[in-house]
Amino acid sequence: MQASLVQSDMEQDKGPETERHGVAAELWHIVSEYRWRILASLVFLITAKVATVAVPLVLKRIIDAFAAPGRLAMLPIYLLAGYAILRFLSTLFNELRDLLFARVTLRTVSAYAQKTFAHLHALSPAFHARRQIGALLPDIDRGTNGIAFLLNVALFTIVPTLIEIALVLAVMLDRYSLGFAAIIAVMFLMYGGFTLIFTNRRVMYQRRVNKLDSGAKGQLADSLINYDTIKYFANEKIELARFHDTMAKWQEAGMGNQNALFTLHVGQSAVIGVGVGAIMLLAGDAVWRGDMRVGDLVLINAYALQVCLPLNALGFVYREARDAWVNAERLFQLLREQPDITDSPRLPRLHASQGEVVFDHVRFHYDPARPVLREVSFRIPPGKTVAVVGSSGSGKSTLARLLLRFYDPVEGRILIDGEDISEVSPGSVREAIGVVPQETALFNDTIGYNIGYGRIGCSRADVISAARAAHVHDLIESLPAKYDTAVGERGVMLSGGEKQRISIARAILKSPPILIFDEATSALDSDSEHAIQQELERLSLNRTTLIIAHRLSTIVGAHYILVMDKGCIVERGSHRELLERNGMYARLWLLQQRMDETGAMQRETS
């Protein structure tokens, strides 16, 4: 099974070069505005490497000076001072390089984080309906960290390593026999080839580890979000068993990754060990024969280590860079996701003044095999209220989604004040519409913030006025922190009715020309429903209003009622007209009346 999973990941890794080139080009496009910082960082980098390579040369001269007979009294002060200064300058220039480049890295990572944030909000509801937030966030986090690593790798590890090796080879060729440079070159090629082959093999393990890690985090988040449901059914052990299975697979993949890493590290160390051993044997033989002095032996040893350390760093960096590419893959895939509807700045804005809404022969489906709306046509005159009723799945809520331009019709048009909304900016359409949804989700902030979200920048007095209109002000004032009360994640600290009243207050504060109430009072008790219903009717007086309702008692006063069934409008008219027809609406009304009477009798007997 493990082999098949690895083979699958190998197939996913085919043909990555085009993507990598595109990613590299995009990274360069972002950092190119900091080219002067990059150039200055390179200058500091090269200067630091020159100082680093010069340190063994000075050390050789110090050792040779002390090793000369009869010259111990002549302490080479300038060499000792120079040795200390060179070491200090190497560190200083490296720190200056880091300081200059830090802004480039931070701004690039910040730019990608903001780009991803904006892109996620631009994607269509279909994407967010299938996404798993717990798995999405680790992918984004790993991706931005990978970008930061790649930026630093390109400038601060690969370039200086190559510079350092080139300088060492130049000194060795200039001062010593070709054999030393040949050993270093062969060691470099062997190390590079081994690292390349075995790192590529390890990538497939790393990709699987990342996939399982995201899956585990997604499962954990989903379990916590559904905490109440798990408690209702006492299924804690079931959830733990599922999580245990996922983590067992993660452990298995992690061990495969670690085994590959062990082979890589041991092989790299063996190549370096053989190379250093060969260099020291050749140098020791030269000293024994009198062709080199002790200082030369120390110099060659220092340079051998100076080459080996960058080589080791280069191997580490290549391995980590491949991991960073793997980590960034999901982020770039996410950024390539295309929204179904784009809010281009070139699109004209909707200028809704009267608020007339027209559905003109609208057809729509999420899946072509299952039509949701079939030839739906109706008009909501400015300032009037139209209610839509029907059984579950009849297409009622889809009307609201289309009007908000979350989706575009497959056929037909939707007009607001005579403008086809498919030809204007989606953002401008939504600015003209206030929504009270069936399921209210609140930000993990205060009550005041959540109400004020309806009109950013409004005063506390405006927030209080909207809360009064939604009949929630007295409840808020009874709380210890009042409008500064935290509502918890998605508003879990409030009841369903309280959340819905805050949602109504938010829509009241927005004060748009068009309103949509999607089961706006479904979570309220009868008294609260009656009070808020009166306020909603007052709020709708001068606004075009679409009410999607299940409880028919809430839409008796609507100017017009549409009855939907299987994506079609089967009846239309006022409440009185529909009752007189004795059709589907009349049957639904009679059924709800009986249910209400039965409920009232049960409450009286209890």
Side-chain angles (χ1 to χ4, degrees):
M1 180 179 178
Q2 181 71 23
S4 64
L5 290 170
V6 170
Q7 179 65 30
S8 174
D9 286 329
M10 288 179 66
E11 291 175 359
Q12 292 178 15
D13 199 38
K14 292 180 179 179
E17 292 302 321
T18 302
E19 178 179 332
R20 289 178 190 153
H21 291 158
V23 170
E26 187 174 351
L27 284 174
W28 171 247
H29 176 72
I30 291 178
V31 303
S32 60
E33 61 179 289
Y34 309 108
R35 58 177 64 90
W36 293 112
R37 278 183 176 269
I38 295 173
L39 182 60
S41 298
L42 282 172
V43 170
F44 283 129
L45 182 154
I46 294 170
T47 307
K49 284 305 172 186
V50 170
T52 301
V53 172
V55 166
L57 290 171
V58 176
L59 181 61
K60 172 196 176 306
R61 293 192 61 184
I62 292 172
I63 291 172
D64 287 342
F66 279 112
R71 296 184 61 185
L72 289 178
M74 298 175 61
L75 189 64
I77 299 295
Y78 71 97
L79 290 176
L80 294 173
Y83 179 81
I85 291 171
L86 283 172
R87 282 200 169 277
F88 171 73
L89 289 178
S90 175
T91 301
L92 175 64
F93 288 132
N94 278 324
E95 291 300 324
L96 287 172
R97 174 203 69 185
D98 291 343
L99 183 63
L100 270 175
F101 199 73
R103 187 175 296 277
V104 180
T105 303
L106 292 172
R107 285 193 176 179
T108 303
V109 171
S110 175
Y112 263 98
Q114 293 177 63
K115 182 178 181 180
T116 305
F117 183 87
H119 185 69
L120 286 172
H121 282 284
L123 290 175
S124 61
F127 169 83
H128 289 280
R130 66 176 184 268
R131 67 99 172 94
Q132 193 175 18
I133 190 67
L136 188 63
L137 294 181
D139 287 338
I140 296 171
D141 185 51
R142 282 196 298 261
T144 51
N145 289 337
I147 289 169
F149 183 82
L150 290 171
L151 286 176
N152 284 285
V153 161
L155 187 62
F156 293 160
T157 306
I158 297 176
V159 173
T161 298
L162 296 177
I163 290 173
E164 189 166 356
I165 291 173
L167 289 173
V168 168
L169 285 174
V171 173
M172 298 291 278
L173 286 171
D174 180 62
R175 287 176 168 266
Y176 305 106
S177 68
L178 184 62
F180 292 105
I183 292 173
I184 292 175
V186 170
M187 182 172 62
F188 178 78
L189 291 174
M190 289 180 63
Y191 187 96
F194 181 86
T195 301
L196 184 68
I197 292 170
F198 279 86
T199 301
N200 284 340
R201 289 184 180 181
R202 202 182 70 83
V203 163
M204 53 194 177
Y205 291 102
Q206 184 63 41
R207 181 177 287 112
R208 176 151 172 76
V209 168
N210 285 354
K211 182 178 179 181
L212 288 168
D213 180 64
S214 295
K217 288 182 171 62
Q219 188 177 336
L220 177 63
D222 191 49
S223 181
L224 292 176
I225 290 172
N226 291 284
Y227 170 86
D228 290 343
T229 303
I230 293 169
K231 290 295 183 183
Y232 295 156
F233 293 93
N235 279 339
E236 293 90 344
K237 292 182 179 179
I238 299 296
E239 291 298 312
L240 180 59
R242 290 178 60 226
F243 192 67
H244 177 271
D245 290 342
T246 302
M247 294 308 296
K249 294 175 183 177
W250 176 81
Q251 290 178 46
E252 182 183 354
M255 282 307 301
N257 188 37
Q258 192 61 42
N259 290 335
L261 196 60
F262 170 80
T263 303
L264 180 62
H265 283 171
V266 170
Q268 288 173 333
S269 297
V271 171
I272 290 175
V274 171
V276 171
I279 289 173
M280 294 311 296
L281 283 173
L282 187 61
D285 180 65
V287 173
W288 180 261
R289 288 185 285 104
D291 295 337
M292 291 193 320
R293 304 171 68 179
V294 175
D296 294 304
L297 179 65
V298 173
L299 175 65
I300 290 171
N301 179 65
Y303 276 154
L305 294 176
Q306 210 160 311
V307 168
C308 291
L309 288 176
L311 263 182
N312 206 25
L314 199 60
F316 168 79
V317 161
Y318 179 72
R319 183 179 70 247
E320 293 298 314
R322 287 305 305 269
D323 288 350
W325 278 113
V326 172
N327 291 339
E329 279 177 350
R330 177 55 189 149
L331 179 62
F332 290 119
Q333 289 171 6
L334 184 63
L335 290 173
R336 286 195 299 271
E337 288 272 356
Q338 294 299 316
D340 295 337
I341 299 174
T342 56
D343 198 350
S344 171
R346 294 188 295 271
L347 287 173
R349 291 181 58 80
L350 173 71
H351 299 287
S353 53
Q354 300 299 315
E356 180 191 48
V357 174
V358 175
F359 277 64
D360 182 21
H361 296 89
V362 172
R363 289 178 175 267
F364 180 75
H365 58 247
Y366 300 102
D367 179 350
R370 299 178 60 188
V372 178
L373 297 179
R374 312 164 188 258
E375 289 288 336
V376 172
S377 296
F378 64 90
R379 173 177 175 268
I380 309 178
K384 301 298 182 180
T385 297
V386 168
V388 184
V389 300
S391 59
S392 178
S394 61
K396 306 187 300 294
S397 294
T398 300
L399 296 176
R401 287 178 170 269
L402 292 175
L403 183 56
L404 287 162
R405 216 188 158 200
F406 288 162
Y407 303 92
D408 281 336
V410 175
E411 292 182 19
R413 301 181 304 161
I414 300 174
L415 309 175
I416 294 180
D417 285 344
E419 292 187 72
D420 189 338
I421 64 173
S422 66
E423 298 176 357
V424 299
S425 163
S428 65
V429 173
R430 293 159 197 158
E431 287 174 6
I433 301 173
V435 184
V436 180
Q438 182 176 3
E439 297 181 7
T440 300
L442 302 179
F443 292 99
N444 190 3
D445 210 301
T446 65
I447 291 176
Y449 175 84
N450 277 282
I451 295 176
Y453 200 77
R455 192 167 77 233
I456 300 298
C458 66
S459 67
R460 177 54 64 91
D462 293 330
V463 170
I464 293 173
S465 177
R468 288 184 186 278
H471 291 265
V472 73
H473 173 73
D474 292 341
L475 168 68
I476 297 171
E477 284 294 311
S478 69
L479 300 173
K482 298 182 172 50
Y483 282 85
D484 293 321
T485 301
V487 302
E489 190 168 11
R490 298 183 65 82
V492 295
M493 305 296 290
L494 303 176
S495 70
E498 291 165 350
K499 286 194 293 184
Q500 210 149 14
R501 278 184 278 182
I502 288 174
S503 179
I504 292 169
R506 189 159 57 188
I508 291 171
L509 186 60
K510 185 177 182 180
S511 190
I514 301 171
L515 290 170
I516 297 176
F517 298 123
D518 188 356
E519 305 284 358
T521 60
S522 62
L524 304 179
D525 56 67
S526 299
D527 292 338
S528 297
E529 178 188 23
H530 179 71
I532 292 179
Q533 193 62 43
Q534 289 181 324
E535 186 57 38
L536 291 180
E537 290 174 1
R538 186 194 67 79
L539 184 66
S540 304
L541 283 177
N542 298 316
R543 291 181 175 87
T544 304
T545 306
L546 175 65
I547 300 177
I548 298 165
H550 173 71
R551 299 171 68 172
L552 304 187
S553 59
T554 63
I555 49 93
V556 171
H559 296 99
Y560 212 61
I561 298 173
L562 307 176
V563 184
M564 295 193 67
D565 185 40
K566 297 179 181 178
C568 299
I569 298 176
V570 294
E571 293 179 4
R572 60 182 77 201
S574 66
H575 173 70
R576 182 183 295 277
E577 290 170 347
L578 291 173
L579 288 180
E580 290 173 354
R581 290 179 191 171
N582 201 28
M584 183 176 179
Y585 181 84
R587 291 195 299 273
L588 289 173
W589 175 263
L590 181 61
L591 178 62
Q592 287 198 10
Q593 291 289 101
R594 288 175 178 173
M595 291 175 65
D596 291 343
E597 290 173 1
T598 302
M601 291 175 62
Q602 289 176 345
R603 286 193 295 273
E604 288 177 2
T605 56
S606 62

